[in-house]
Amino acid sequence: MSAGSHSIGVSAPVQAERTRIVGSVFEHAHDIADAGMSAILAQVPGYAARDTAFHTDVHDQLTRLCRTGLGALLDKRRVTTSDIAYARRAAARRAQSGLTLVDYISAFRLGQQAIWKSLVAHAGDSEAGRDAALSMVVPLTRYCDLISTQAANAYLEFQQYLSAEAGRDSRELVECLLDGVLPDRGPQLATAHAHGLGTERATAMVAVTAVVLRTADRGQPGDSEAAARHIASAALARTGVNGLRTLSVVRGSEIVALPALARDGATDELCARLRRTRDKLHAEGITLAIGVSTAFTEIAQFPRAYQQARSALDLLPEDGGVLALPHLSPFRYLMLRADDTVRQLVDPRIAAALAEDRMRGGMLADTIRAFVAADMNLREAADALRIHHNTAKYRLRRIQELTGRNVRSVHDLVELLVAIELHAAPK
């Protein structure tokens, strides 16, 4: 919603009245939520039958939705989907609680009506007040459409994912695949075929495992992390790259997915989608760590790929992210897997030089990396770093002075590179 774009052509008195109305209503958001809750409890039996914790959660959502829309009007800015991510999470909680979609949409509309009634009441009977109220119809309608669409979609996605039959068949299928076998009959085989498994033996796949590190709904009723896992699993199920839906299930505290790759077997597009999915969920308050295995084509290889994906999770930092093994070199993988003993073997002079360099911005380490990438061609390394040839030469000379290592020696250069990667790897 672009609140500012609807101020064009509005007279100064009407604009002033509009600001007054919105500001006043914003301050009464809690009272509006009270009015909305009263209407919901009186008209929607599915809500009236719930407990106090459920009602408190609904009241909180009504208050936040009111303040988000009105705050955007006051700030003259556009409401984005990330601004109302909490509405998607709340919708998932409603679906998880067993609330019907009819009741959910009815309650949503009653909450929106409470906002409109408050705006009309605060507008008063003056001509400027009525004009100001009319000037807000378009932006607030668009805002209501946005939150309704986002919330309804989240509700349906979560409800569909929690379907008892589909969920059970998918989970049982994954357990079979983890044993390295494809069911030869029954609903599990049908589920496998629906996800493109077993229909073309040459289809390249990867195993994906994910865990929820944090959620923004701590303190909300119910198990917010369990709900977040189902939301994340439903999101991963939509990351297919070749027209196939990705098999994705919640398995205990983790999510296991089996996406097919592009027809050429490349992993770039899939991993890009996984990163976008992770970023979107992070904006919605769900922080994920995602591990991706190397590619495989036989179902019998899935158990090994699953263990690879779980190992990749261990290499991620505390704030999560996506680590795809196909995008790691063997050298980089070994550095990420290094233990404290390997770090203790690094020459103290090298460790001290790298620690100081890191505090200064890491220029020396970057020069070594560029030097290696250029096959020890100093001029090409300087060009890659966009620095003068003499500057690059000075840096290499400085590295030799600080570490006692000759960068023209392959043995010394490897030792320096190992130390640099160990220093950069998460501990």
Side-chain angles (χ1 to χ4, degrees):
M1 176 183 66
S2 180
S5 64
H6 296 281
S7 298
I8 299 174
V10 176
S11 67
V14 171
Q15 183 61 49
E17 189 69 359
R18 174 169 160 170
T19 301
R20 178 193 68 79
I21 296 168
V22 174
S24 180
V25 176
F26 184 90
E27 292 299 322
H28 289 83
H30 193 275
D31 297 331
I32 295 171
D34 286 344
M37 280 299 301
S38 295
I40 291 170
L41 295 180
Q43 300 181 43
V44 187
Y47 278 76
R50 303 290 169 156
D51 59 18
T52 302
F54 184 91
H55 294 163
T56 300
D57 186 25
V58 175
H59 189 283
D60 175 64
Q61 297 305 308
L62 289 173
T63 304
R64 294 180 70 179
L65 287 169
C66 180
R67 287 176 174 160
T68 300
L70 296 174
L73 277 172
L74 287 172
D75 296 339
K76 298 180 180 179
R77 64 177 180 83
R78 182 179 297 275
V79 174
T80 66
T81 54
S82 61
D83 290 330
I84 56 172
Y86 58 86
R88 288 183 59 86
R89 296 194 299 272
R93 291 198 296 276
R94 305 295 176 265
Q96 187 181 34
S97 72
L99 193 73
T100 67
L101 182 59
V102 171
D103 282 352
Y104 178 63
I105 295 300
S106 297
F108 222 96
R109 288 174 177 168
L110 289 171
Q112 293 171 1
Q113 289 174 14
I115 297 176
W116 283 112
K117 289 178 181 178
S118 182
L119 280 169
V120 172
H122 282 82
D125 296 325
S126 69
E127 183 178 352
R130 290 194 298 271
D131 289 344
L134 287 173
S135 75
M136 291 184 280
V137 169
V138 172
L140 284 178
T141 298
R142 288 181 177 175
Y143 173 63
C144 290
D145 288 344
L146 175 64
I147 58 177
S148 298
T149 300
Q150 289 291 316
N153 286 343
Y155 181 100
L156 290 171
E157 289 170 3
F158 197 81
Q159 189 178 57
Q160 181 181 21
Y161 191 78
L162 289 181
S163 169
E165 289 300 321
R168 183 175 67 247
D169 290 341
S170 294
R171 289 191 296 272
E172 290 179 357
L173 172 60
V174 167
E175 294 304 322
C176 288
L177 298 178
L178 285 172
D179 290 332
V181 297
L182 184 71
D184 58 2
R185 64 174 65 87
Q188 287 79 41
L189 180 60
T191 300
H193 288 170
H195 291 85
L197 303 175
T199 54
E200 295 182 33
R201 292 174 59 84
T203 300
M205 300 168 283
V206 292
V208 173
T209 59
V211 294
V212 174
L213 301 178
R214 286 177 297 280
T215 71
D217 281 331
R218 294 191 182 280
Q220 296 289 356
D223 187 345
S224 62
E225 288 195 2
R229 281 192 287 271
H230 287 291
I231 292 171
S233 182
L236 291 176
R238 298 190 297 273
T239 56
V241 296
N242 60 1
L244 295 173
R245 183 174 174 84
T246 295
L247 176 64
S248 181
V249 302
V250 174
R251 187 173 183 263
S253 62
E254 68 179 1
I255 302 159
V256 180
L258 187 58
L261 299 178
R263 301 193 185 282
D264 61 359
T267 58
D268 293 355
E269 185 180 356
L270 172 66
C271 290
R273 292 194 180 191
L274 288 173
R275 290 187 175 91
R276 288 195 295 271
T277 297
R278 189 264 176 190
D279 292 344
K280 180 180 178 182
L281 290 172
H282 185 70
E284 295 182 3
I286 300 173
T287 302
L288 283 184
I290 302 174
V292 184
S293 76
T294 58
F296 64 96
T297 56
E298 301 291 335
I299 293 298
Q301 298 169 329
F302 177 60
R304 182 188 65 186
Y306 166 72
Q307 293 300 330
Q308 289 180 354
R310 294 194 67 184
S311 296
L313 288 178
D314 296 334
L315 306 180
L316 284 165
E318 292 182 357
D319 59 350
V322 178
L323 193 146
L325 294 184
H327 295 173
L328 290 183
S329 67
F331 176 79
R332 180 62 177 159
Y333 177 78
L334 289 173
M335 294 303 99
L336 289 173
R337 297 286 295 178
D339 56 18
D340 288 338
T341 300
V342 177
R343 291 184 171 87
Q344 291 296 320
L345 293 175
V346 174
D347 188 309
R349 289 178 297 174
I350 298 177
L354 291 177
E356 181 180 355
D357 177 53
R358 193 169 192 174
M359 290 189 294
R360 295 176 180 272
M363 291 185 296
L364 299 184
D366 289 344
T367 303
I368 287 293
R369 289 193 180 101
F371 187 59
V372 171
D375 291 330
M376 302 172 69
N377 185 310
L378 185 58
R379 189 169 297 280
E380 287 185 10
D383 290 342
L385 293 169
R386 297 183 179 180
I387 60 177
H388 193 275
H389 176 262
N390 289 337
T391 302
K393 184 184 295 185
Y394 165 77
R395 289 184 184 179
L396 292 185
R397 186 166 63 249
R398 182 61 177 158
I399 291 168
Q400 293 184 182
E401 292 172 356
L402 292 173
T403 65
R405 298 301 190 274
N406 180 3
V407 296
R408 294 292 180 181
S409 164
V410 173
H411 180 276
D412 286 0
L413 188 58
V414 169
E415 187 176 0
L416 285 169
L417 192 60
V418 167
I420 289 170
E421 295 304 325
L422 286 175
H423 199 69
K427 296 180 176 65

